[in-house]
Amino acid sequence: MYKAQRFLVLDGADDVLRTYPIGLGFAPEGHKQFEGDGRTPEGSYVIDRRNPDSLFHLSIGISYPNAADIAYAQAQGKSPGGDIFIHGGPRKGIDPMNVRDWTAGCIAVTDRQIEEIYAMVRDGTPIDIYA
């Protein structure tokens, strides 16, 4: 995923499978460091869970925070936060692609796109998030 360009790329074994435009946290610049900072993490993580009953239209969990994220936040006397997901729009409310960077640190796509991603991506899949 490329934060500055606002797109998510799903790579297959031999080629790019799909590319999706994305929305990010309400403070999109920089790596997520603390709970409530509104940033989307940067770095290497894995898809570690999925939630078909999410408050959003499907959601796929990202393994943030990792050990380094936790250590940094604790050294500052803060919580690193968590519950970072790729998800569709809220059950009620805004279209995630009509309002840019509205999440609390998650990665937003349209409802139709999260349905495709949810079907293609398995738990344990690596995800690299670049600035």
Side-chain angles (χ1 to χ4, degrees), residues 64-110:
Y64 175 88
N66 61 28
D69 297 323
I70 293 167
Y72 179 81
Q74 287 178 341
Q76 306 302 311
K78 297 184 177 186
S79 167
D83 287 337
I84 301 298
F85 290 86
I86 302 169
H87 61 68
R91 296 270 185 203
K92 294 182 181 179
I94 61 176
D95 175 349
M97 301 321 295
N98 285 337
V99 178
R100 187 171 171 166
D101 302 336
W102 59 274
T103 77
C106 294
I107 300 156
V109 294
T110 67

Side-chain angles (χ1 to χ4, degrees), residues 11-125:
D11 287 326
D14 299 319
D15 205 358
V16 171
L17 299 174
R18 298 267 198 290
T19 301
Y20 301 98
I22 58 170
L24 298 171
F26 60 81
E29 302 294 320
H31 173 58
K32 181 167 192 61
Q33 296 177 321
F34 309 117
E35 183 174 9
D37 66 9
R39 294 179 176 164
T40 301
E42 296 171 359
S44 295
Y45 299 93
V46 296
I47 300 302
D48 65 352
R49 62 201 181 282
R50 53 195 59 241
N51 185 357
D53 300 317
S54 172
L55 294 175
F56 300 91
H57 184 71
L58 300 176
S59 62
I60 300 171
I62 296 173
S63 64
Y64 175 88
N66 61 28
D69 297 323
I70 293 167
Y72 179 81
Q74 287 178 341
Q76 306 302 311
K78 297 184 177 186
S79 167
D83 287 337
I84 301 298
F85 290 86
I86 302 169
H87 61 68
R91 296 270 185 203
K92 294 182 181 179
I94 61 176
D95 175 349
M97 301 321 295
N98 285 337
V99 178
R100 187 171 171 166
D101 302 336
W102 59 274
T103 77
C106 294
I107 300 156
V109 294
T110 67
D111 290 353
R112 183 178 177 129
Q113 291 165 342
I114 192 61
E115 289 168 5
E116 290 178 5
I117 296 166
Y118 198 93
M120 288 192 289
V121 175
R122 301 288 170 244
D123 290 356
T125 300

